Amino acid sequence: MSTASERARLPSIRDVARLAGVSHQTVSRVLNEHPSIRPETKAKVLDAIAVLDYRPNLAARALVTSKSNMLGILSATIGEFGPTSSIAGIEDAAREEGYSVSTLNLPATSPEAIGNAVRQLSREQVDGIVVLAPQVRVFHVLRGMSVDMPFVTLQTASGSDGVSLSADQVAGARAATEHLISLGHSDILHLAGPQDWIEAESRMRGYLDGLREADLPTFPPIRGDWTADFGYFAGKELALRRDFTAVFAANDLMAIGLMHGFRDSGIRVPHDVSVIGFDDIPVAAHVAPSLSTVHQDFPELGRRAVRILLAQIRGEQVPEFGPLQTILRARESAASR
């Protein structure tokens, strides 16, 4: 009769070998996908692994292969739709390639915090890092560090070190602004994101490009913080001005809060003021009125990041991707003037 400690013991590679009727060296070769293993032998080993729910010791394997089969994610954004969706895309793509993922959320974006996070991922022996930290200062810190492993950045500024991926934020913001212009609006405000955020600056640039091309007046941007609460506050304040007919908000949450603030102030959207957001979060299609917005494929950015990172890790040719295209979703919140 087995003891309680024996029953609680995790299965080992020798347990798998015993159940499959092979040597533990054969099990190791199956785990490392050695080409000399016969298909019927591999099937027996995999069946035994499934029966025992055997989990390989990744740390031990890393000592032998110099690879941990783990990718790191360094994120300075917690709970936001875009980064969360990109992380899901990274995890799915990594899992398909046999990799696990370790995610670190930065408590701050100081040089000390970023350095500590990179060192922690290094101690975990990750094979590469995806950086989701869309503040300019994060990339300034990374540029000054000696990161001794492959890394890919999402939503990076031009000129940053390393391989970078992004959606075409400027084109998306310009499309939103041009859509409002095509509806007959000429006095268009911009509810911008916070300073130092790469997406905020890119979306503001697209807005300004659209107005400049149409030879329309520009207004000082209203700096927000990405939240619906700020959008609501801005809507209540802007209701006192009424020197505009449309607002392009730098993200959907601020746009939804803005419409709420307008509604509580007696301003009808889109009858009195048209509103367009950015990101196409799932709820955007279900608010009243439904929100016109700019769609970007966040999971695809994550999948592309994994493809680039694994190519770097494996010494293969790194695929080249241009900026991911954005798509204008015209809904009810923007109407003809």
Side-chain angles (χ1 to χ4, degrees):
M1 182 178 296
S2 62
T3 66
S5 61
E6 287 174 333
R7 287 195 302 270
R9 180 176 63 85
L10 294 175
S12 69
I13 193 171
R14 295 184 183 276
D15 295 325
V16 174
R18 191 177 304 112
L19 181 59
V22 299
S23 68
H24 70 273
Q25 292 93 339
T26 297
V27 176
S28 178
R29 282 195 282 271
V30 170
L31 292 172
N32 289 290
E33 300 181 355
H34 198 283
S36 68
I37 299 296
R38 292 181 299 176
E40 57 270 26
T41 301
K42 181 178 180 179
K44 287 195 299 183
V45 171
L46 293 178
D47 286 344
I49 288 172
V51 168
L52 296 173
D53 193 24
Y54 170 67
R55 307 294 174 86
N57 187 326
L58 296 179
R61 184 191 292 187
L63 291 174
V64 176
T65 65
S66 298
K67 293 288 185 294
S68 66
N69 278 29
M70 180 181 293
L71 303 180
I73 299 176
L74 184 59
S75 176
T77 54
I78 302 174
E80 294 177 10
F81 172 73
T84 300
S85 300
S86 291
I87 289 173
I90 293 168
E91 291 173 341
D92 288 344
R95 186 163 46 248
E96 290 172 3
E97 294 288 342
Y99 277 73
S100 57
V101 172
S102 176
T103 302
L104 277 184
N105 289 307
L106 286 171
T109 53
S110 65
E112 181 181 10
I114 296 168
N116 288 339
V118 171
R119 284 188 287 273
Q120 181 174 335
L121 289 173
S122 296
R123 287 194 296 271
E124 293 181 16
Q125 296 183 312
V126 300
D127 298 330
I129 299 175
V130 181
V131 181
L132 290 92
Q135 297 97 338
V136 175
R137 61 184 175 275
V138 173
F139 297 103
H140 288 166
V141 174
L142 288 172
R143 190 180 296 123
M145 294 180 61
S146 178
V147 182
D148 58 353
M149 68 181 76
F151 72 96
V152 178
T153 62
L154 296 189
Q155 308 293 12
T156 185
S158 60
S160 296
D161 294 342
V163 180
S164 64
L165 285 167
S166 66
D168 198 336
Q169 310 282 323
V170 175
R174 181 167 179 160
T177 306
E178 290 175 344
H179 179 61
L180 291 170
I181 294 170
S182 73
L183 293 173
H185 297 279
S186 57
D187 297 310
I188 305 169
L189 298 183
H190 181 45
L191 184 53
Q195 284 187 326
D196 193 50
W197 282 69
I198 296 160
E199 292 101 328
E201 298 306 313
S202 297
R203 295 171 194 180
M204 187 188 302
R205 198 173 95 203
Y207 158 78
L208 293 172
D209 286 349
L211 292 181
R212 191 178 300 113
E213 182 68 23
D215 196 25
L216 291 176
T218 60
F219 296 84
I222 303 162
R223 286 284 186 180
D225 62 4
W226 301 126
T227 67
D229 284 344
F230 185 89
Y232 179 81
F233 169 79
K236 298 285 284 184
E237 291 295 310
L238 288 174
L240 304 175
R241 287 177 48 174
R242 301 302 299 272
D243 58 348
F244 59 95
T245 64
V247 181
F248 165 48
N251 78 333
D252 288 345
L253 286 178
M254 289 196 298
I256 291 170
L258 182 75
M259 291 196 298
H260 185 191
F262 283 156
R263 184 171 65 250
D264 282 0
S265 301
I267 295 177
R268 299 168 300 168
V269 175
H271 305 286
D272 301 322
V273 176
S274 287
V275 176
I276 292 186
F278 204 109
D279 286 338
D280 196 18
I281 63 177
V283 75
H286 303 288
V287 295
S290 58
L291 179 64
S292 295
T293 184
V294 178
H295 175 85
Q296 53 181 330
D297 192 341
F298 293 107
E300 176 60 19
L301 276 178
R303 290 188 288 268
R304 289 184 179 187
V306 171
R307 289 177 58 187
I308 289 175
L309 199 55
L310 292 186
Q312 291 179 311
I313 292 168
R314 295 165 177 168
E316 301 169 351
Q317 182 174 355
V318 176
E320 295 184 6
F321 296 107
L324 194 64
Q325 295 303 302
T326 51
I327 302 171
L328 178 68
R329 304 285 199 209
R331 298 191 179 112
E332 299 170 343
S333 67
S336 297
R337 176 64 175 157

